[in-house]
Amino acid sequence: MKRSSRTVRRAMGAAAVAGALTAVAAAPAAAAPGGPAHAATRAAMERSLRDSALPGMVATAVDPQGSWSAATGVADTTTGQPRSPRERFRIGSVTKPFVATVVLQLRAEGRIDLDDTVERWLPGLVSGNGNDGSAVTVRQLLNHTSGVFDYGDDPGMGATLFTPAFLARRYDTYSLEQLVRIAVAHPPVFAPGTSYRYSNTNYLLAGMIIERVTGRPYGEEVGRRIVRPLGLTGTSVPGTATGLPRPHARGYSTLFGGSATPLDVTELNPSMAGSAGEIVSTTADLTRFLSALMRGRLLPRAELDEMTTPGPHGSGGLGLGSGTLSCGVTVWGHDGGIHGSSTLALTTGDGRHVLALNTNADWFRDKLPLAEAEFCG
């Protein structure tokens, strides 16, 4: 099947993936004390596992009444080990709000302007085949209006990432520059600023710009500016490390439709995602991060306003998207998937009510009922 521009969004981006996993026996749901307030969320988790035949799911929600965590299903389909809210997992494109936050911190420090061009910071990189880094701004990278081709849509990368060939290539190492060069070997999908299209290449470039501005890799800046100040003890930027810190679930993938059966892809080299989707975290850490972000602990008011102002052509904010649920509650956040892991992290605008959840598969069919259950009850 031809890989469309949606494919890498599914793999490391913001959309769920079509496909199915072999059904497994689900373990009973286990939850921390939380009372009836989160009963709808727990029920929605169990329905999602049953309807989508997922291995397992974990969730953490924080609201003015306190913190609640739950787990359902299995972490290992062979042993039947149940999932646990303590587990670490790959968060895919939920990496992007971390990267955008660092860029906006640098803006607050006067070290970068959102209207700076890519050419200013990465001269000569975005060029050729109709690409022009002098016409692409940092802001356009962060809100996906740059028009820069998504490297995962390259036929060679598609074959590497989304077919059984992945099993032989899962330990390959990629640099950010190498992935960007794959992208700019293709013409832009539109002129910068004229439309919206999600592209992981945008956040590879943002990660490279962070390093050029600070002199340190983007992962070090994420650790120095976000992870350590907030005490996110389950969060890490793995680089080329192929394993996951314990405790963790096994990850199962159908290679986003490329395999008829789910495969154990727990070990992989996350440099294939880089600053577009490599971070490892926990549901508790993700709720803490989003709450702190929205409460102004990470960004001044002006930069937080930039982050949460929708862009042109239907784009979202800078590193965040938003939507209004059926009960009128507006939530901000991001979702993300990478082989064997799919994550959703959402918060109200004041940071007082936050949800993060993960399943140890490429996708789950519909995240909206889970958001509706938690924020609308």
Side-chain angles (χ1 to χ4, degrees):
M1 183 176 69
K2 182 180 179 181
R3 302 293 169 182
S4 72
S5 64
R6 292 180 297 172
T7 304
V8 101
R9 291 202 297 275
R10 291 168 172 171
M12 301 170 218
V17 183
L21 285 170
T22 303
V24 296
H38 302 280
T41 306
R42 188 187 329 214
M45 291 169 63
E46 292 169 347
R47 281 195 303 273
S48 185
L49 258 66
R50 182 179 64 249
D51 295 346
S52 300
L54 300 171
M57 187 177 293
V58 292
T60 295
V62 178
D63 62 21
Q65 282 68 54
S67 178
W68 170 88
S69 293
T72 187
V74 296
D76 187 319
T77 61
T78 300
T79 66
Q81 175 187 338
R83 287 213 68 177
S84 164
R86 297 178 55 244
E87 291 166 352
R88 292 159 170 81
F89 48 83
R90 305 184 195 281
I91 68 173
S93 275
V94 184
T95 297
K96 291 180 173 70
F98 287 82
V99 172
T101 298
V102 172
V103 172
L104 287 164
Q105 288 177 338
L106 294 172
R107 191 249 199 182
E109 295 163 10
R111 301 172 70 180
I112 192 171
D113 192 285
L114 295 177
D115 295 320
D116 285 349
T117 66
V118 172
E119 182 68 15
R120 173 178 177 180
W121 293 105
L122 305 171
L125 181 59
V126 179
S127 61
N129 302 300
N131 294 284
D132 181 3
S134 66
V136 177
T137 68
V138 173
R139 187 191 305 275
Q140 289 165 351
L141 298 180
L142 299 184
N143 66 16
H144 297 290
T145 61
S146 73
V148 177
F149 187 84
D150 195 322
Y151 71 93
D153 288 342
D154 173 80
M157 283 301 293
T160 297
L161 296 176
F162 309 120
T163 75
F166 174 76
L167 298 180
R169 302 288 301 275
R170 66 163 85 185
Y171 301 115
D172 289 1
T173 293
Y174 301 92
S175 68
L176 298 182
E177 182 174 351
Q178 180 182 0
L179 295 174
V180 169
R181 291 198 181 281
I182 291 171
V184 300
H186 298 266
V189 294
F190 52 78
T194 63
S195 189
Y196 164 84
R197 190 166 178 175
Y198 192 98
S199 172
N200 289 288
T201 310
N202 290 324
Y203 276 76
L204 302 181
L205 290 164
M208 294 178 73
I209 289 171
I210 289 170
E211 181 168 1
R212 185 60 59 90
V213 173
T214 66
R216 288 179 288 269
Y218 96 92
E220 289 187 17
E221 289 298 306
V222 167
R224 189 171 73 88
R225 293 167 173 270
I226 300 174
V227 173
R228 289 192 290 277
L230 295 183
L232 306 183
T233 56
T235 300
S236 59
V237 183
T240 60
T242 60
L244 283 167
R246 295 184 182 276
H248 66 79
R250 308 302 298 178
Y252 300 97
S253 175
T254 57
L255 304 180
F256 305 91
S259 172
T261 58
L263 306 167
D264 188 324
V265 294
T266 308
E267 289 193 355
L268 56 82
N269 188 327
S271 66
M272 68 180 184
S275 51
E278 73 170 294
I279 288 179
V280 170
S281 192
T282 66
T283 54
D285 277 7
L286 291 178
T287 58
R288 185 178 301 178
F289 165 61
L290 283 182
S291 180
L293 178 63
M294 288 302 192
R295 289 171 179 258
R297 290 184 58 190
L298 295 173
L299 292 174
R301 185 75 252 174
E303 280 65 37
L304 187 56
D305 286 346
E306 288 275 8
M307 192 175 211
T308 55
T309 298
H313 313 294
S315 61
L318 306 181
L320 294 176
S322 68
T324 300
L325 303 175
S326 63
C327 55
V329 173
T330 297
V331 290
W332 287 87
H334 214 289
D335 66 348
I338 189 168
H339 301 67
S341 183
S342 186
T343 302
L344 177 67
L346 297 172
T347 178
T348 52
D350 59 6
R352 290 167 56 82
H353 192 173
V354 194
L355 170 70
L357 53 87
N358 170 266
T359 184
N360 50 329
D362 293 335
W363 65 285
F364 45 105
R365 184 168 296 157
D366 192 350
K367 300 181 178 79
L368 180 60
L370 292 152
E372 290 274 347
E374 176 58 32
F375 292 97
C376 297

